[in-house]
């Protein structure tokens, strides 16, 4: 959930002094979307290590850097999201050993830090923070004192740690960056005369698109002239250099007030990439790695996911249920500890935008260990999920910077819808009713979403529905997960209370909370709309105002609800994607009116890489 950045440069190759401080600050700014509450940098120059760290934002850190003026050809930086200890200057990363010889930054959780801390304290080490991370530089210092090289000392320290971690460090007297990975993402950036290291590619995307994805157990020594990757025993391992297809401008706001609004508007292009080439000219599904028959031996499907990805999984499960394919959806946090029974005919689908979500990774590992086949549906080609699962289906959404997922949800649903069609054909032996109509609707999604974006309906509703007692979202079929996702987006960025329900569940308890001060957002997909209209009338009779999201041709809905947000007429299975765009815009405009931190909501992080 935190952010790591690092850079080392060969000054002679660059024609300058090779100072990396500005690069580190820029890398940290590029990682702000991950969520954080403190930040810091450490550089090594000559025989010294300089650490500057502050509670608060990058601006506060940059101000302190301007006073201290650290320099160096090698450095590490960090944005911290507190897990052990409050967000204070002392608890911010980097952390050092007693002699200020080693500076370390860390993502993840070291589960045995307390016992290590007690052991080190008994040996004379003193600690200045409450964090689990601080044991690492002290362990490294002990190994250095015993004669180990810096990378050897990092291996020795990593061998003592239990839990998940991505570590990066600098050592006094060495123009190099050292790193180790176990259960938390790290990637190396490759450029002439420089090497970068980060928890996510956008940190250094403006400098290079050539990357090396590290795997668990990898240890790296990087200099300006190159890098070496070894395993924990010191044996060299080959990790290929890959070129990401993202551009530096993909990680910029490009004139929009917020990344979230930019990414909402990028949905037509993202959906085009998600579907392009995957629907053949003769109206068949063409998934490049999954020809017909790929899933012929599957008897049941289990989805594991968290947050927005969980809602996309519910959407896919509904589509499978309508086609007669057994499927279940599990919260990855629960599945990791209490997995469902599986066998060799079970397909476990891990839906994760980053491919690094800790709970989801633990879930598929448990399922694989029990003999299930695993499939990752993810946005990141070199991610842990993509590498560890038996197969991978990429959603092709491009980088998403805003914490609140928008274009990745749409792309997940589009990619999962195509997967559903392949599964249906393989498992049932039939193409499914109205399949051609659905594929045409998926093909039209980019233009249909663009039509919604060209309107301005939600912006006009924002003032009317802010500062209410609560906000309810309801839907049926694929409209139900869209209602859940709409409520999640609303609460994430407005900080206002919002809940999503299956429309028919209102009368089984939630109706008691409905008052004239609780607007209801009702999703209509063109299937069972008459039942949802009955639910609308129930809440209206209690004084609630209703915003209906439905096809522009839905005269009954438009005549019944208090406010109407139209979507293009489409197949019911695709209508949820369009309704979701309207709800994203509602949440965005209300949050903007309330002056919320839209791209970096409080207490939240983009990628949850700890359990």
């Amino acid at each position: 959930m935190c952010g790591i950045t690092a850079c080392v440069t060969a000054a002679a190759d660059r024609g300058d002094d090779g100072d990396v401080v500005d690069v580190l600050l820029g890398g940290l700014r590029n990682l702000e979307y991950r969520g954080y509450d403190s930040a810091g940098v450490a550089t090594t120059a000559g025989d010294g290590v300089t650490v500057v760290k502050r509670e608060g934002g990058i601006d506060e850190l940059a101000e302190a850097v301007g006073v201290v003026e650290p320099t160096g050809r090698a450095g590490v930086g960090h944005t911290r999201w507190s897990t052990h200890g409050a967000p204070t200057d002392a608890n911010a990363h980097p952390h050092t050993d007693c002699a200020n010889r080693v500076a370390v930054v860390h993502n993840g959780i070291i589960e045995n830090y307390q016992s290590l801390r007690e052991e080190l304290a008994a040996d004379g080490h003193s600690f200045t923070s409450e964090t689990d991370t601080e044991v690492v530089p002290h362990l490294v210092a002990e190994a250095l004192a015993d004669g180990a090289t810096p990378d050897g000392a990092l291996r020795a320290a990593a061998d003592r740690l239990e839990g998940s971690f991505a570590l990066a460090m600098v050592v006094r007297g060495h123009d190099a960056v050292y790193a180790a990975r176990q259960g938390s993402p790290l990637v190396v950036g490759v450029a002439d005369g420089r090497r970068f290291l980060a928890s996510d590619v956008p940190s250094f995307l403006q400098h290079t698109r050539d990357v090396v994805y590290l795997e668990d157990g990898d240890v790296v020594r990087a200099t300006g002239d190159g890098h070496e990757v070894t395993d924990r025993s010191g044996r060299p391992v080959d990790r290929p250099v890959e070129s990401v297809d993202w551009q530096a401008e993909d990680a910029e706001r490009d004139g929009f007030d917020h990344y979230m609004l930019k990414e909402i508007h990028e949905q037509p292009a993202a959906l085009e990439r998600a579907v392009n080439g995957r629907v053949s000219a003769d109206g068949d599904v063409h998934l490049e790695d999954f020809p017909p028959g790929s899933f012929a031996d599957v008897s049941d499907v289990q989805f594991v996911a968290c947050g927005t990805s969980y809602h996309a999984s519910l959407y896919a499960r509904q589509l499978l249920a309508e086609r007669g394919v057994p499927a279940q959806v599990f919260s990855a946090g629960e599945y990791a500890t209490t997995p469902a029974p599986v066998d060799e005919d079970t397909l476990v689908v891990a839906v994760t935008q980053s491919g690094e979500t800790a709970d989801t990774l633990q879930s598929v590992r448990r399922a694989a260990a029990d003999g299930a086949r695993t499939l990752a549906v993810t946005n990141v080609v070199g991610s842990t999920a993509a590498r560890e699962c038996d197969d991978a289906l990429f959603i092709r959404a491009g980088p998403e910077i805003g914490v609140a997922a928008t274009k990745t949800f749409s792309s997940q649903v589009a990619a999962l819808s195509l997967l559903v069609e392949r599964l249906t054909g393989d498992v049932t032996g039939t193409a499914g009713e109205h399949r051609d109509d659905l594929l045409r609707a998926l093909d039209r999604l980019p233009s249909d979403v663009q039509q919604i974006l060209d309107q301005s309906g939600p912006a006009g509703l924002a003032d009317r529905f802010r500062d209410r007692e609560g906000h309810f979202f309801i839907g049926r079929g694929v409209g139900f997960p869209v209602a859940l996702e709409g409520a999640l987006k609303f609460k994430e960025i407005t900080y206002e209370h919002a809940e999503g329900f299956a429309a028919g569940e209102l009368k089984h308890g939630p109706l008691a909370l409905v008052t004239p001060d609780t607007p209801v957002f009702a999703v209509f997909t063109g299937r069972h709309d008459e039942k949802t209209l009955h639910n609308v009338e129930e809440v209206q009779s209690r004084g609630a105002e209703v915003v209906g999201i439905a096809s522009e041709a839905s005269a009954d809905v438009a005549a019944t609800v208090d406010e109407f947000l139209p979507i293009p007429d489409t197949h019911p299975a695709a209508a949820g994607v369009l309704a979701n765009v309207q709800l994203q815009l509602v949440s965005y405009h209300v949050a903007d009116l309330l002056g919320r931190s839209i791209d970096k909501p409080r207490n939240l992080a983009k990628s949850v890489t700890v359990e």
Side-chain angles (χ1 to χ4, degrees):
M1 298 170 73
C2 313
I4 287 174
T5 192
C7 181
V8 56
T9 180
D13 291 343
R14 289 183 47 72
D16 56 27
D17 62 5
D19 189 75
V20 299
V21 175
D22 287 342
V23 176
L24 294 177
L25 290 174
L28 292 179
R29 290 191 188 280
N30 292 340
L31 293 177
E32 284 189 287
Y33 69 92
R34 293 171 68 93
Y36 71 105
D37 47 41
S38 59
V41 295
T43 59
T44 176
D47 292 330
V49 171
T50 304
V51 175
V52 185
K53 53 184 183 176
R54 290 292 184 272
E55 175 190 354
I58 306 299
D59 288 342
E60 285 80 7
L61 174 63
E63 183 178 348
V65 165
V67 173
V68 178
E69 296 185 341
T71 60
R73 288 168 51 187
V76 294
H78 192 263
T79 52
R80 176 177 184 253
W81 195 90
S82 302
T83 54
H84 293 77
T88 64
D89 288 356
N91 288 333
H93 297 209
H95 290 287
T96 62
D97 65 309
C98 296
N100 203 42
R101 181 182 181 185
V102 178
V104 172
V105 294
H106 163 232
N107 286 355
I109 293 178
I110 298 170
E111 296 172 357
N112 62 332
Y113 84 98
Q114 193 62 51
S115 61
L116 290 172
R117 186 178 178 120
E118 292 169 0
E119 174 190 320
L120 289 161
D123 289 340
H125 293 263
S126 59
F127 293 85
T128 60
S129 79
E130 304 167 88
T131 69
D132 57 335
T133 304
E134 197 179 359
V135 300
V136 180
H138 292 274
L139 290 171
V140 171
E142 287 209 333
L144 290 172
D146 290 338
T149 62
D151 47 331
L154 183 58
R155 287 190 201 93
D159 286 341
R160 299 289 311 278
L161 306 180
E162 297 175 6
S164 65
F165 53 83
L167 302 168
M169 76 174 189
V170 290
V171 178
R172 186 173 64 208
H174 296 267
D175 286 329
V177 172
Y178 306 88
R181 170 192 167 137
Q182 185 64 48
S184 193
L186 272 177
V187 60
V188 177
V190 178
D192 289 341
R194 282 193 285 186
R195 288 295 184 273
F196 303 89
L197 195 136
S199 47
D200 207 353
V201 172
S203 169
F204 54 71
L205 190 58
Q206 69 199 81
H207 303 289
T208 182
R209 291 168 36 197
D210 293 334
V211 303
V212 176
Y213 292 101
L214 301 179
E215 300 187 14
D216 284 353
D218 285 354
V219 177
V220 179
R221 176 183 180 271
T223 68
D225 297 316
H227 66 277
E228 304 164 350
V229 184
T230 59
D231 63 18
R232 293 272 275 276
S233 63
R235 290 187 298 265
V237 294
D238 182 30
R239 298 286 180 252
V241 177
E242 303 179 35
S243 183
V244 297
D245 59 2
W246 301 348
Q247 303 292 332
E249 54 268 27
D250 291 339
E252 299 173 357
R253 287 210 307 266
D254 197 27
F256 287 90
D257 290 339
H258 299 90
Y259 281 113
M260 181 180 178
L261 185 60
K262 177 195 177 205
E263 287 156 3
I264 289 173
H265 281 263
E266 286 176 341
Q267 286 177 112
L271 286 164
E272 179 69 31
R273 291 192 297 270
V275 177
N276 185 41
R278 290 173 167 174
V279 178
S280 63
D282 59 358
D284 195 8
V285 174
H286 177 70
L287 295 179
E288 52 273 28
D289 295 322
F290 307 104
S294 296
F295 302 106
D297 57 350
V298 170
S299 62
D300 66 298
V301 180
Q302 296 178 3
F303 294 93
V304 291
C306 300
T308 289
S309 296
Y310 179 80
H311 299 154
S313 300
L314 287 172
Y315 200 117
R317 188 213 67 84
Q318 177 64 28
L319 297 180
L320 285 171
E322 292 172 359
R323 289 155 177 75
V325 179
Q328 297 171 280
V329 182
F330 297 91
S331 166
E334 294 298 313
Y335 192 99
T337 53
T338 54
V342 299
D343 58 31
E344 61 184 9
D345 296 329
T346 304
L347 177 68
V348 176
V349 182
V351 184
T352 161
Q353 183 278 135
S354 67
E356 304 292 349
T357 308
D359 290 331
T360 305
L361 291 173
Q362 285 298 102
S363 294
V364 293
R365 287 165 183 159
R366 286 289 300 267
D370 290 339
R373 178 179 174 183
T374 57
L375 168 65
V377 177
T378 183
N379 194 36
V380 182
V381 173
S383 63
T384 302
R387 293 197 311 269
E388 291 192 5
C389 288
D390 296 319
D391 298 293
L393 176 63
F394 298 103
I395 68 172
R396 305 171 175 173
E400 186 174 67
I401 306 302
V403 167
T406 51
K407 65 178 180 177
T408 54
F409 176 81
S410 298
S411 297
Q412 283 175 336
V413 171
L416 285 167
S417 297
L418 294 170
L419 178 64
V420 164
E421 295 308 314
R422 169 62 70 239
L423 281 165
T424 299
D426 287 353
V427 174
T428 69
T430 62
E433 189 177 5
H434 305 305
R435 182 193 196 191
D436 291 347
D437 293 340
L438 173 58
L439 294 180
R440 281 193 291 270
L442 292 174
D443 201 43
R444 288 198 313 271
L445 274 178
S447 59
D448 285 346
V449 170
Q450 188 61 56
Q451 181 179 326
I452 293 171
L453 296 173
D454 290 341
Q455 302 166 353
S456 57
L461 296 179
D463 189 57
R464 180 173 177 179
F465 294 114
R466 67 170 178 167
D467 297 325
R468 294 296 192 97
E469 185 177 274
H471 305 79
F472 289 173
F473 295 73
I474 63 172
R476 290 177 184 274
V478 297
F480 170 47
V482 170
L484 294 176
E485 176 63 11
L488 177 62
K489 284 295 152 289
F490 199 91
K491 69 182 73 172
E492 278 182 318
I493 64 170
T494 70
Y495 311 157
E496 301 290 307
H497 178 253
E499 288 190 69
F501 303 99
E505 281 296 304
L506 281 176
K507 63 176 69 70
H508 297 287
L511 201 57
L513 299 175
V514 172
T515 72
D517 202 34
T518 51
V520 176
F521 295 83
V523 177
F524 296 85
T525 66
R527 186 166 289 162
H528 306 301
D529 284 357
E530 69 285 351
K531 293 182 179 294
T532 305
L533 276 172
H534 291 322
N535 302 124
V536 165
E537 291 163 353
E538 286 174 340
V539 298
Q540 286 177 322
S541 70
R542 274 77 178 175
E545 295 177 275
V546 176
V547 179
I549 304 95
S551 164
E552 56 199 358
S554 300
D556 289 347
V557 175
T560 303
V561 299
D562 300 281
E563 293 285 351
F564 183 59
L565 293 176
I567 60 175
D569 193 30
T570 189
H571 190 284
V577 177
L578 304 181
N580 183 65
V581 176
Q582 291 283 32
L583 293 179
Q584 290 171 351
L585 290 167
V586 168
S587 297
Y588 172 81
H589 287 297
V590 172
D592 192 37
L593 198 62
L594 292 170
R596 304 304 192 210
S597 178
I598 291 174
D599 289 330
K600 295 174 286 183
R602 66 187 182 198
N603 303 330
L604 300 179
K606 181 64 176 174
S607 179
V608 184
T609 56
V610 295
E611 295 180 81

